[in-house]
Amino acid sequence: MIEVNDLQKFYEDFSAVSSLTFNVYPGEIFGIIGPNGAGKSTTLKMLIGLIKPTSGTIKINGLGLSSNMVEIKSILGFLPEDSTLYENMEVEEYLLFFSELYGLDKKDANERIFRLLTDLSLNPYSKKIGDLSKGMKRKVAIARSLINEPDILVYDEPGSGLDPMTSNFITEYIGQLKNEGKTIVFSAHNLYQMDKLCDRILIIKDGKQKALGSPGEIKKQYSNTSYRLEFVLDNNKDAEIQLKQENIFWRDDRYVLLTENIETVNSVTKKIITSGGKILEMSTVEPTLEDIFLRIVSS
Ligand code: ADP
Ligand code: MG
């Protein structure tokens, strides 16, 4: 479990992160969303002890990060936003090099590397890292983050800048890591993928917490369901004039009412029926996480 309390980071007098307080529970996929410059990478780097908070505390499995770095490092796997890999090494050689750093014996390391490369669809692999595509390099970086079998994974934009297929593959792989019992904290921009993948989400802007909760909770909290009513009016001019409100528009061959207010739906329905019109379709429209995100960050 990760406990973050009143976390702040100043770069000189610029506040990059302020007053972040959240927990990440074991086995959870926790997503951090925010526009560029919101403080996502700064937050993730503080979580793994790569940079020091200006103030506030981070505890991992009950241990304070600042004074238990050695124990904590062994349970964390990090994927930086721009992972630099050793371009001249071959993939397996590179991963073996890292397993040696973690003190794994060669047999275990080879088994683990084989499994990771297979799971990541990178097997067989004896190519030089420098010759790999961007997506493959990202997968190698992911394999590296998993080589010491950490319980907690901190991934900074794992699927960003990759083709949709690789990006989806990585999203699914993160889901698989959760099924294996890992806890994952990651930042990303694809809100559609995050909506499906994350147990809970933190939305930040200008380093500040804007929303925290499950995708469902955030949707409920920040946006209401809208109602959509499609109807025709049978050439009734009076009714047309009465009904021409702001949120009724003409689409192809029918009128469409879009509103968050059920009372409006009721009164418009009555008018349609009494004026000889006909309701063609009625539906509810759930906001997407992206709708809400845009609303939160543009306010
Ligand atoms: P994100 O990952 O959400 O795009 P970052 O955490 O990288 O955002 O950056 C948050 C803010 O802190 C940005 O305004 C960025 O310019 C600033 N920043 C990040 N690193 C440094 C640094 N080493 N020195 C000064 N400012 C920094
Ligand atoms: Mg970043």
Side-chain angles (χ1 to χ4, degrees):
M1 172 162 172
I2 305 175
E3 295 161 89
V4 175
N5 193 24
D6 203 12
L7 194 64
Q8 307 232 5
K9 178 68 188 179
F10 276 89
Y11 290 113
E12 301 191 349
D13 57 357
F14 172 75
S15 167
V17 165
S18 58
S19 323
L20 289 189
T21 298
F22 60 90
N23 292 339
V24 180
Y25 301 105
E28 193 170 49
I29 300 187
F30 187 88
I32 300 182
I33 322 179
N36 289 335
K40 301 180 295 295
S41 298
T42 304
T43 304
L44 296 177
K45 283 182 206 160
M46 286 193 279
L47 287 187
I48 58 133
L50 203 62
I51 58 175
K52 265 203 159 103
T54 308
S55 64
T57 56
I58 300 170
K59 278 188 189 170
I60 296 186
N61 293 349
L63 301 172
L65 187 64
S66 47
S67 44
N68 298 278
M69 210 50 229
V70 178
E71 290 108 301
I72 290 173
K73 272 259 154 98
S74 69
I75 55 171
L76 287 175
F78 181 51
L79 179 78
E81 196 168 5
D82 301 301
S83 23
T84 39
L85 310 171
Y86 301 129
E87 305 268 306
N88 277 324
M89 275 189 174
E90 288 181 0
V91 175
E92 286 171 33
E93 181 188 11
Y94 175 78
L95 293 173
L96 204 56
F97 168 74
F98 272 90
S99 20
E100 276 166 12
L101 287 185
Y102 284 112
L104 285 171
D105 81 59
K106 205 163 173 179
K107 188 172 158 285
D108 286 348
N110 276 322
E111 278 173 17
R112 210 171 280 177
I113 290 165
F114 178 80
R115 189 171 55 81
L116 282 170
L117 293 180
T118 308
D119 289 353
L120 284 158
S121 297
L122 278 176
N123 219 18
Y125 248 91
S126 50
K127 273 195 187 172
K128 273 197 179 155
I129 291 174
D131 297 334
L132 301 179
S133 70
K134 205 171 167 182
M136 285 171 176
K137 281 184 185 164
R138 204 71 182 139
K139 287 183 179 180
V140 174
I142 290 176
R144 184 185 72 190
S145 76
L146 291 162
I147 207 83
N148 59 328
E149 301 204 311
D151 290 335
I152 300 175
L153 302 167
V154 178
Y155 285 0
D156 197 354
E157 300 197 21
S160 281
L162 306 179
D163 66 88
M165 221 173 103
T166 313
S167 169
N168 272 338
F169 178 94
I170 289 175
T171 306
E172 276 168 25
Y173 189 67
I174 290 174
Q176 198 178 312
L177 291 171
K178 174 193 158 98
N179 293 338
E180 289 170 18
K182 310 266 190 209
T183 304
I184 301 126
V185 184
F186 80 113
S187 65
H189 284 293
N190 187 322
L191 298 179
Y192 175 73
Q193 287 174 347
M194 287 189 111
D195 193 355
K196 287 194 295 185
L197 189 65
C198 294
D199 295 299
R200 286 188 313 129
I201 281 172
L202 169 70
I203 300 181
I204 56 175
K205 184 195 173 190
D206 300 331
K208 297 186 190 73
Q209 195 155 321
K210 293 285 173 187
L212 174 66
S214 70
E217 283 164 356
I218 291 178
K219 284 182 205 167
K220 237 189 233 154
Q221 193 181 344
Y222 284 87
S223 184
N224 300 322
T225 303
S226 337
Y227 304 94
R228 187 184 169 102
L229 190 68
E230 299 182 17
F231 58 95
V232 286
L233 280 175
D234 199 26
N235 287 329
N236 185 331
K237 281 287 166 224
D238 283 350
E240 226 169 291
I241 291 160
Q242 263 194 43
L243 280 169
K244 270 199 176 148
Q245 300 175 25
E246 252 177 86
N247 38 6
I248 292 180
F249 55 94
W250 179 256
R251 167 71 53 88
D252 301 328
D253 58 349
R254 60 190 59 189
Y255 287 102
V256 178
L257 165 76
L258 203 59
T259 177
E260 287 186 2
N261 188 348
I262 189 81
E263 295 305 325
T264 310
V265 178
N266 287 336
S267 71
V268 169
T269 307
K270 243 181 238 158
K271 283 180 194 159
I272 297 165
I273 305 291
T274 52
S275 62
K278 201 169 139 194
I279 290 169
L280 301 174
E281 205 171 316
M282 201 178 161
S283 54
T284 52
V285 185
E286 298 293 337
T288 65
L289 195 59
E290 184 145 10
D291 297 334
I292 291 161
F293 174 72
L294 290 173
R295 195 196 281 191
I296 291 174
V297 300
S298 59
S299 63

